[in-house]
Amino acid sequence: MSDTYVECLVKRESSTIGKLARIVLVMVTVVFGILTFLGFVLALFVALAAGFGAYFVYLHTDVEYEYLYLDKELSVDKILAKTKRKRVATFEMERMEVLAPIKSYHLDNYRNRTGKAVDYSIGREEQPDGRYVMYFDGNQKVLLSPSEELVKAIRNAAPRKVFTD
């Protein structure tokens, strides 16, 4: 039995609001930290709260996704700020309905479906757009940004369900 193993790491682009929130919270932390040294005791609590807020905003704006394909199973891990890893989803290729580029005509029959949509892609449109859409188990739409090697491995497992247009 041959096992196919493919790994793909994708960095999600931070939103403008997230970047702005990080900058503002760091500035508030620094200003109130300086005020603490000048003798304002209550400024310490504001500095600590803003510092914790800046840490958590940074943690959730610096996100990477790792796709791991092994033996007809695709797992997606979310890596927060290169320190914490969490498995967010596992997809069995037997239950996958279709995998195609986001603007493919093969997805026309699936466009009017309602269900849960999750985004594990880079979060923005590139030229050419390398994002793919996977409809899984009848009720889930998954956006991915796989490498060509990963798409080829999934296509070998389910050739009639994967399109590259």
Side-chain angles (χ1 to χ4, degrees):
M1 181 172 170
S2 70
D3 292 336
T4 304
Y5 176 81
V6 179
E7 228 178 85
C8 180
L9 188 65
V10 175
K11 179 151 179 67
R12 183 167 184 87
E13 183 175 313
S14 298
S15 68
T16 307
I17 295 170
K19 290 177 185 177
L20 184 64
R22 271 196 311 202
I23 292 169
V24 168
L25 285 170
V26 168
M27 289 174 46
V28 168
T29 303
V30 170
V31 168
F32 280 94
I34 292 171
L35 287 176
T36 301
F37 287 119
L38 294 176
F40 296 102
V41 178
L42 294 177
L44 174 66
F45 297 112
V46 176
L48 288 174
F52 283 125
Y55 172 73
F56 286 113
V57 167
Y58 171 69
L59 197 65
H60 292 287
T61 55
D62 186 21
V63 175
E64 294 177 335
Y65 291 109
E66 182 184 44
Y67 310 135
L68 179 66
Y69 178 78
L70 178 64
D71 195 29
K72 296 184 180 182
E73 185 174 273
L74 178 69
S75 62
V76 180
D77 292 348
K78 184 177 186 179
I79 303 169
L80 302 173
K82 296 183 176 92
T83 57
K84 294 184 179 183
R85 174 185 297 262
K86 180 181 178 184
R87 170 132 322 144
V88 290
T90 303
F91 305 105
E92 297 172 9
M93 293 301 106
E94 291 86 24
R95 295 173 47 199
M96 176 183 71
E97 293 179 34
V98 66
L99 175 71
I102 196 164
K103 296 186 181 194
S104 174
Y105 68 92
H106 293 287
L107 298 173
D108 289 343
N109 295 335
Y110 299 93
R111 298 226 190 261
N112 293 329
R113 283 196 180 177
T114 58
K116 184 178 176 184
V118 291
D119 188 1
Y120 303 130
S121 69
I122 57 175
R124 62 180 151 71
E125 184 175 340
E126 293 181 329
Q127 296 299 328
D129 200 356
R131 296 178 298 166
Y132 277 70
V133 175
M134 176 173 66
Y135 282 93
F136 183 76
D137 202 24
N139 61 357
Q140 193 171 19
K141 176 183 176 182
V142 182
L143 269 70
L144 302 169
S145 296
S147 64
E148 290 180 22
E149 184 181 6
L150 181 62
V151 173
K152 185 178 176 184
I154 294 172
R155 188 176 191 153
N156 287 339
R160 294 181 182 219
K161 298 177 182 180
V162 179
F163 302 99
T164 56
D165 289 347

